Amino acid sequence: MPKEIKTDESAPNAAPQAAPETPAPALVDEVSAAPAVNYPVVGIGASAGGLEAYRLLFEELPSNTGMAFVLVQHLDPQHPSLLAELIGRATRMPVVEATDGLAVAPNRVYTIPPNVTLGMLHGRLQVLERVIERGRHLPVDEFLRSLAQDRGSQAIGVVLSGTASDGTAGLAAIKASGGLTFAQDQASAAYWGMPGSAVAAGCADLVLPPREIARELVRLAAHPLLRQRAIPEPDLGEDASQALAKVFMLLRARTGNDFAYYKQSTIRRRIRRRMLVHKLERLGDYVRYLQNTPAELDALFHDLLINVTGFFRDPKTFEVLRDIALPRIFDACAASAALATGGGGAGRLPQVRIWVAGCSTGEEAYSLAMTLIESADERECDAGLIGTFQIFATDIDEQAISVARRGVYPERIQAEVSPERLRRFFLKVTGGWQVSKALRDRCVFAVQNVVKDPPFSRLDLVCCRNVLIYLGPMLQKRVLQMFHYALEPEGYLMLGPSESIGTQADLFALVDQPAKLYTKKSVASREGYNFKPRTPYQDALVELPPPRLGTPGRSPQQEAEELILARFSPAGVILTADWEILHFRGQTGRYLEPAPGAASLNLLKMVRRGLFVALRAALLQARDSGVPVRKAGVRYRSNGSEAQVDLQVLPLHAVAGGTPCFLVLFEEPVAPAAPEPARPAPGVAEGAANAERDDYLATLEHELTSTRDYMQSAIAEQEGTNEELRSMNEEIQSANEELQSTNEELETAKEELQSTNEELATVNEELESRNAELAAANNDINNMLASINLPILMLDNELRIRQFTPQAERLLNLIGTDLGRPISNIKPNIEVPRLEELVRRVINSLEVESLELQDNAGHWYAVRLRPYKTLDHRIDGAVITFMEIDEIKEARRLRVTLADERRLAALVRDAADAITAQGFDGGILAWNPAAERFYGYPEAAALALNIRELIPADAWPEHERMLEVLRAGQPMEPYRTRRRTRAGRELAVWLVPTALLGADGKPYGLGTTERVFDEGET
């Protein structure tokens, strides 16, 4: 390997400037890099076909990009990996296999070891035990997730060729953290499974071939935004606030939505990603790009919207809703219905009204509708009530609303919706499930910006889950006030798991903390709320309405009663359990006065100092006991003079919604009658008594003054302590808001990751089904090949062995490890001449070749070579079959022999000479028609005779000599002899004897050809 080029170790953080069109960058120290070094880390995942993609990528990468590269490949867990060695041949960067705790350094390549899961923590690689998720090993997802958490915006994910969908969730995590993601394009990928899954899920920012990905990485290495960690607020350059305002203005002009007061960290992270995708370094350049490219405004708008939802998300939340909120809503609705029909026509309409704000693609609205119907069925509510409930579902995203209106969802919802609900509320359609018409008719979907558009009214429930986390504090305050206005006095508000009402605790009371279920508080009415479109710079607070002075159409009796109450009833106030004043009655100025500082309607802050202790004690006692409490003769100072008042605290029970309230009355004590003057006593006694009485009164006044001063000092000290506690509480609340903001950030990333995980689960289910079908098909093929009992050999285009049957294993002398070896390396038991030439001819010509060969054991085979065709009709090798034809060969031989014998038999049958076959014992074995004519014996009769019956006595010696010669295996010359016919006549015969040989080559008989002639012939 060439020598590594290094820079001065005193500058390990030197940022590279490499780019194809720029001068050579300053190189980065490749050795002494600590985990805290500010450099990007590139995680690259691949599976089948990934080795070639790795090679193309690293051949294009220079050795001084300043990035670290971690390769995560699907490896055989049982064998050592050669990945580091193979990649080292394609790059000048050092390539090492990862070890536990190894610090990642720039300009180095790290490969995953076999049978492990790889992660990253604080810039160091962590080697963990192999993790199996749902029966599958997903090392790419595991590493890319940890990379996103560790490096944030400096994480880069790349998914190359491979099957299945590993890497999609990892790219989604990197994208959510602000990093960049790449996927290999389909044209260059040997297997499109992994990159195709990432592209289909929308997780890949750029889809390119490996060499183009390498060039983009070189360009990104010099990009200044990639060198900034962007946590928590990414720096987008100078004058970012002004440039962001321009972006918001362009977005508002294009979409009608103002994002200026949304959560800025999320907005900036999304804008930063779009800048990296379009190779822009400054926000001002991106603003100009937006001005010239309206389509980018649409892309940015949809990137800012996070549509993450599902059916029955957080199931326990719906259980709380069904157990607590819905029964009360049904009871209130039934009571209103009864009042409207039988109570004089008063009361609200008997209709349940629900608003789902930020409904996304509608799953939450339909989930609420199903829950409402099921709860009503359990209570056996009136059918008319169920027929009138209405759910209003709104969202800012028109595309998401279109999906909700169609009501068609993919097959994966079967994991979220129970089979009973699927049967009742859904219809099976091609490719998914569609909500039934009965359910669809109860949901009204509309495009609405909850921040600026008027709300619905007279609502029983507002469901706004995971929307407030994307809004700034000002918008959160305005939205919560709108919800308070829209709800009925007994209405409920349901928020997301990471949301709360924050500073609006005076508007809502908590019902269930885990489910984030709140109920509306009975506070001062906010009539005159302005629903005109407002800019984010306008506060959402409204003024209290002016007091009503009277109602037209009063009767004299009513007016008289009001006058009597106003003049003769004691002054008082109505307040909540938090001591907040709801209503003033009579003249309370003598007892109450506004406290310095921020305006407040808290009674204990407004009551005059002398009344504080007694009033607070009475309030606490009345709240704890639930019975009226009276404090008589309480002294206080008003306008520089002392006075007394009787305090009375009365609990109020008949309050809407069950929220306790209290009535506090200030009663002037009745002055006692003046006592009669005492009779004057004698002078001395009278003077002494007066002096003693004066001393006693002075002592009592002194003690009373001291006690009052002490009480005032204690009260002042307590107020000071309360102020300190209030200050500490404000600091804690501020810290809590910061923690909540961080939690909302995490929730945002969680929502985005959940969306990707749901898509990944859908892809996994489809792939699992296809894998099951493929396994069944493979089993069928394997059993078929094993049952065929034929030697079959399959070769690829490079003449390497790809598969063979057990019979071919014996015939061709193969073993299991020969898979992948060239056929030329095999020494089979049967020699196929010019095999490679024949295979290439078959692949090129697509014609079948046949030949017959004999193996080393003498067995004959018919060999047939045909092209190997894939399902898409590509030629990917050849198939060679061997069929044993020994029996066919024997049948052919027997057929030839039989033909020869038939010809010989015809010759014997049609011959003019007598032809016979005899055993050495004289038995006749064969007898032709000419012998029948000559000797007069039919064939059947002749075969029952012995040849001795045809030989005259004088010819016997000569016949015996012939038998001895033939039995000895010697030839016998033809000779003349005599034969006797059936009629007894003797014939002169010219006899030609021939020995008959058996299978062992020894004579077993003889054949004769006998021609009759006249004895006068020579």
Side-chain angles (χ1 to χ4, degrees):
M1 182 177 294
K3 182 179 179 181
E4 299 177 18
I5 304 176
K6 304 179 182 178
T7 59
D8 184 4
E9 294 187 0
S10 63
N13 300 343
Q17 305 294 329
E21 65 277 5
T22 58
L27 301 181
V28 180
D29 185 2
E30 300 176 344
V31 177
S32 59
V37 173
N38 191 20
Y39 56 85
V41 178
V42 184
I44 308 176
S47 181
L51 188 59
E52 178 65 16
Y54 284 145
R55 184 184 63 81
L56 295 174
L57 186 144
F58 280 100
E59 285 180 350
E60 195 70 22
L61 278 174
S63 61
N64 54 359
T65 60
M67 295 178 170
F69 301 89
V70 182
L71 308 187
V72 183
Q73 174 84 5
H74 287 195
L75 301 174
D76 187 341
Q78 305 299 329
H79 295 86
S81 172
L82 299 177
L83 183 60
E85 179 182 349
L86 297 174
I87 297 301
R89 300 172 184 173
T91 179
R92 296 176 59 191
M93 291 183 285
V95 182
V96 297
E97 190 172 271
T99 57
D100 196 21
L102 178 62
V104 175
N107 298 327
R108 288 182 177 268
V109 182
Y110 305 88
T111 64
I112 184 174
N115 199 28
V116 300
T117 296
L118 193 63
M120 177 175 283
L121 178 66
H122 304 314
R124 294 184 179 274
L125 295 175
Q126 307 297 322
V127 178
L128 309 172
E129 293 183 0
R130 182 183 176 95
V131 176
I132 303 297
E133 181 179 337
R134 296 181 182 179
R136 300 179 57 210
H137 182 42
L138 303 174
V140 181
D141 280 336
E142 293 294 334
F143 177 75
L144 294 183
R145 285 194 191 103
S146 68
L147 178 63
Q149 295 170 354
D150 196 66
R151 304 304 298 172
S153 63
Q154 291 185 319
I156 299 177
V158 181
V159 171
L160 301 177
S161 172
T163 58
S165 57
D166 191 13
T168 301
L171 290 189
I174 290 179
K175 191 171 183 180
S177 67
L180 283 180
T181 57
F182 294 84
Q184 186 175 359
D185 65 344
Q186 187 172 5
S188 63
Y191 295 89
W192 177 239
M194 286 174 55
S197 174
V199 173
C203 301
D205 293 319
L206 296 173
V207 183
L208 302 168
R211 294 189 182 276
E212 292 296 328
I213 293 176
R215 297 188 185 103
E216 285 296 317
L217 291 175
V218 173
R219 180 188 63 80
L220 290 172
H223 203 292
L225 289 182
L226 195 62
R227 294 286 167 176
Q228 300 168 2
R229 292 301 301 270
I231 298 177
E233 291 288 338
D235 183 9
L236 299 176
E238 299 178 0
D239 301 328
S241 298
Q242 292 82 348
L244 279 176
K246 295 175 183 177
V247 173
F248 295 146
M249 180 189 68
L250 293 173
L251 278 174
R252 186 180 62 182
R254 178 74 174 180
T255 66
N257 298 289
D258 194 342
F259 290 91
Y261 271 61
Y262 280 61
K263 193 62 65 66
Q264 291 299 296
S265 58
T266 301
I267 299 292
R268 289 173 177 245
R269 185 166 60 246
R270 296 296 175 181
I271 292 176
R272 179 182 180 278
R273 281 178 30 79
R274 301 302 303 177
M275 291 173 59
L276 284 173
V277 170
H278 294 292
K279 309 175 184 179
L280 300 173
E281 298 182 3
R282 299 188 60 81
L283 187 55
D285 299 332
Y286 186 61
V287 171
R288 286 188 290 273
Y289 184 77
L290 289 174
Q291 290 177 289
N292 299 325
T293 313
E296 176 61 18
L297 285 169
D298 298 332
L300 177 60
F301 173 69
H302 289 291
D303 208 16
L304 294 175
L305 302 178
I306 303 175
N307 293 318
V308 181
T309 185
F311 285 97
F312 297 98
R313 277 198 306 170
D314 305 322
K316 292 185 178 180
T317 299
F318 287 89
E319 294 177 5
V320 171
L321 189 67
R322 184 179 57 198
D323 297 339
I324 298 178
L326 292 183
R328 298 179 185 176
I329 292 175
F330 286 147
D331 291 342
C333 189
S336 297
L339 185 62
T341 56
R348 67 172 189 169
L349 294 176
Q351 184 185 52
V352 177
R353 294 165 59 87
I354 298 176
W355 179 19
V356 181
C359 68
S360 187
T361 49
E363 287 91 333
E364 184 120 328
Y366 290 126
S367 300
L368 281 172
M370 288 184 276
T371 304
L372 191 64
I373 294 176
E374 293 171 347
S375 298
D377 290 348
E378 293 175 359
R379 294 171 54 90
E380 298 181 353
C381 290
D382 182 76
L385 170 64
I386 300 307
T388 58
F389 87 82
Q390 196 73 61
I391 294 180
F392 305 96
T394 63
D395 196 272
I396 193 175
D397 189 353
E398 186 173 357
Q399 294 180 0
I401 290 295
S402 299
V403 174
R405 286 171 175 165
R406 288 195 302 270
V408 178
Y409 299 96
E411 294 280 357
R412 61 179 175 82
I413 69 169
Q414 295 177 100
E416 304 170 355
V417 184
S418 65
E420 294 78 10
R421 285 170 173 159
L422 284 175
R423 287 193 298 268
R424 181 177 182 183
F425 299 111
F426 290 84
L427 300 175
K428 189 69 175 71
V429 296
T430 303
W433 296 88
Q434 183 175 20
V435 296
S436 63
K437 185 177 184 300
L439 190 65
R440 174 67 182 85
D441 291 342
R442 289 176 170 86
C443 299
V444 177
F445 294 97
V447 178
Q448 183 202 45
N449 189 336
V450 69
V451 173
K452 68 175 185 177
D453 294 333
F456 298 92
S457 60
R458 298 185 295 107
L459 299 171
D460 298 284
L461 171 66
V462 173
C463 181
C464 182
R465 304 176 70 200
N466 301 320
V467 175
L468 298 182
I469 57 176
Y470 303 112
L471 306 180
M474 183 179 295
L475 296 185
Q476 289 184 6
K477 180 178 179 181
R478 172 177 172 82
V479 170
L480 289 172
Q481 289 180 345
M482 293 178 67
F483 291 160
H484 184 270
Y485 168 84
L487 285 169
E488 289 279 3
E490 303 172 7
Y492 290 90
L493 171 65
M494 188 166 66
L495 301 179
S498 297
E499 297 173 332
S500 67
I501 58 175
T503 59
Q504 302 300 302
D506 58 329
L507 301 180
F508 299 96
L510 182 63
V511 176
D512 188 274
Q513 171 64 31
K516 293 301 175 72
L517 182 65
Y518 299 85
T519 185
K520 177 180 177 179
K521 281 186 178 181
S522 297
V523 298
S525 174
R526 296 188 179 263
E527 299 179 25
Y529 194 98
N530 183 13
F531 294 118
K532 294 180 180 180
R534 303 169 64 90
T535 66
Y537 306 99
Q538 296 175 300
D539 196 356
L541 293 176
V542 296
E543 297 180 357
L544 292 174
R548 297 184 178 182
L549 300 179
T551 304
R554 292 179 301 164
S555 65
Q557 292 84 354
Q558 292 175 335
E559 186 173 359
E561 291 175 357
E562 291 182 4
L563 290 174
I564 292 173
L565 290 174
R567 292 194 177 188
F568 300 105
S569 64
V573 292
I574 300 175
L575 63 156
T576 67
D578 298 326
W579 319 137
E580 294 290 332
I581 298 176
L582 299 176
H583 188 72
F584 294 89
R585 295 193 59 84
Q587 301 297 325
T588 58
R590 299 181 58 185
Y591 318 107
L592 307 177
E593 63 178 354
S600 173
L601 290 178
N602 189 285
L603 177 63
L604 295 181
K605 292 183 179 180
M606 297 183 64
V607 72
R608 294 188 182 274
R609 178 170 303 218
L611 301 177
F612 177 86
V613 176
L615 179 59
R616 184 175 182 273
L619 288 172
L620 294 176
Q621 184 178 353
R623 186 178 66 180
D624 295 338
S625 63
V627 298
V629 177
R630 182 182 182 87
K631 298 286 185 180
V634 180
R635 293 180 176 272
Y636 69 101
R637 296 185 65 84
S638 177
N639 298 326
S641 62
E642 290 189 356
Q644 292 185 4
V645 66
D646 294 341
L647 300 178
Q648 191 169 185
V649 180
L650 305 172
L652 302 179
H653 301 288
V655 181
T659 304
C661 293
F662 300 88
L663 172 63
V664 179
L665 298 177
F666 302 93
E667 300 177 356
E668 293 289 341
V670 180
E676 294 183 0
R679 294 182 179 181
V684 176
E686 183 177 359
N690 290 337
E692 183 179 355
R693 183 177 56 190
D694 292 339
D695 292 338
Y696 178 73
L697 291 176
T699 301
L700 291 178
E701 289 179 356
H702 177 71
E703 292 176 358
L704 180 60
T705 302
S706 300
T707 302
R708 184 180 294 113
D709 293 339
Y710 175 79
M711 290 296 297
Q712 291 178 352
S713 174
I715 292 172
E717 184 178 353
Q718 183 180 6
E719 290 179 350
T721 303
N722 289 341
E723 289 295 332
E724 293 177 1
L725 293 176
R726 189 179 298 108
S727 176
M728 294 176 62
N729 184 50
E730 290 175 353
E731 294 178 1
I732 294 174
Q733 184 175 358
S734 175
N736 183 52
E737 290 177 354
E738 294 177 0
L739 293 175
Q740 181 178 348
S741 175
T742 303
N743 190 36
E744 290 171 355
E745 292 282 344
L746 296 176
E747 186 67 18
T748 302
K750 175 186 175 183
E751 294 287 348
E752 297 174 353
L753 182 58
Q754 181 179 351
S755 175
T756 304
N757 285 340
E758 291 170 353
E759 296 172 356
L760 180 60
T762 302
V763 176
N764 284 340
E765 291 174 358
E766 295 176 357
L767 291 178
E768 287 174 359
S769 176
R770 293 182 181 179
N771 287 339
E773 295 175 359
L774 180 60
N778 286 335
N779 291 333
D780 294 342
I781 292 175
N782 290 335
N783 283 276
M784 184 184 300
L785 292 176
S787 304
I788 285 176
N789 198 26
L790 284 179
I792 300 176
L793 176 65
M794 299 181 186
L795 305 177
D796 60 15
N797 283 330
E798 302 300 326
L799 305 188
R800 291 189 296 263
I801 299 174
R802 67 193 311 162
Q803 190 58 271
F804 54 86
T805 62
Q807 291 74 20
E809 183 175 357
R810 294 189 295 270
L811 177 63
L812 302 179
N813 196 23
L814 298 173
I815 58 177
T817 56
D818 287 336
L819 292 177
R821 292 180 60 188
I823 189 61
S824 59
N825 294 351
I826 304 301
K827 298 300 181 182
N829 293 327
I830 182 171
E831 187 67 24
V832 182
R834 301 180 291 108
L835 175 60
E836 297 182 14
E837 179 182 348
L838 286 175
V839 173
R840 296 192 183 278
R841 185 193 308 167
V842 168
I843 294 175
N844 296 330
S845 65
L846 308 184
E847 295 179 356
V848 178
E849 295 283 346
S850 299
L851 64 158
E852 293 181 359
L853 300 172
Q854 191 174 25
D855 66 1
N856 298 338
H859 298 290
W860 283 92
Y861 291 88
V863 183
R864 176 167 293 184
L865 297 85
R866 63 173 62 250
Y868 181 102
K869 293 184 180 180
T870 63
L871 292 178
D872 55 354
H873 302 291
R874 291 187 300 105
I875 304 303
D876 193 22
V879 180
I880 308 175
T881 59
F882 299 83
M883 180 180 294
E884 187 174 354
I885 58 173
D886 282 344
E887 295 180 358
I888 297 176
K889 281 283 189 180
E890 181 64 19
R892 290 176 182 173
R893 186 187 64 78
L894 293 176
R895 191 180 299 115
V896 173
T897 303
L898 180 60
D900 295 339
E901 291 179 351
R902 285 178 177 176
R903 288 192 298 270
L904 182 59
L907 178 63
V908 172
R909 183 184 65 247
D910 298 334
D913 298 333
I915 300 176
T916 67
Q918 309 162 26
F920 286 121
D921 59 350
I924 299 175
L925 304 177
W927 189 264
N928 74 337
E932 290 183 9
R933 292 193 305 270
F934 289 166
Y935 303 117
Y937 290 96
E939 181 178 11
L943 294 178
L945 296 176
N946 191 289
I947 195 64
R948 294 177 179 273
E949 299 178 15
L950 301 179
I951 302 174
D954 56 346
W956 266 107
E958 190 177 26
H959 180 76
E960 292 293 338
R961 185 177 62 83
M962 176 194 66
L963 292 177
E964 291 177 359
V965 172
L966 293 179
R967 188 181 287 117
Q970 297 178 3
M972 181 68 183
E973 295 292 331
Y975 66 96
R976 294 180 179 183
T977 185
R978 299 179 66 82
R979 290 286 187 265
R980 185 170 44 238
T981 65
R982 185 175 186 180
R985 187 168 61 93
E986 292 186 0
L987 299 176
V989 178
W990 181 261
L991 189 144
V992 179
T994 304
L996 299 179
L997 304 179
D1000 55 355
K1002 295 180 179 181
Y1004 70 91
L1006 71 152
T1008 62
T1009 303
E1010 302 171 4
R1011 177 177 298 178
V1012 179
F1013 65 95
D1014 293 335
E1015 293 183 352
E1017 297 178 2
T1018 59

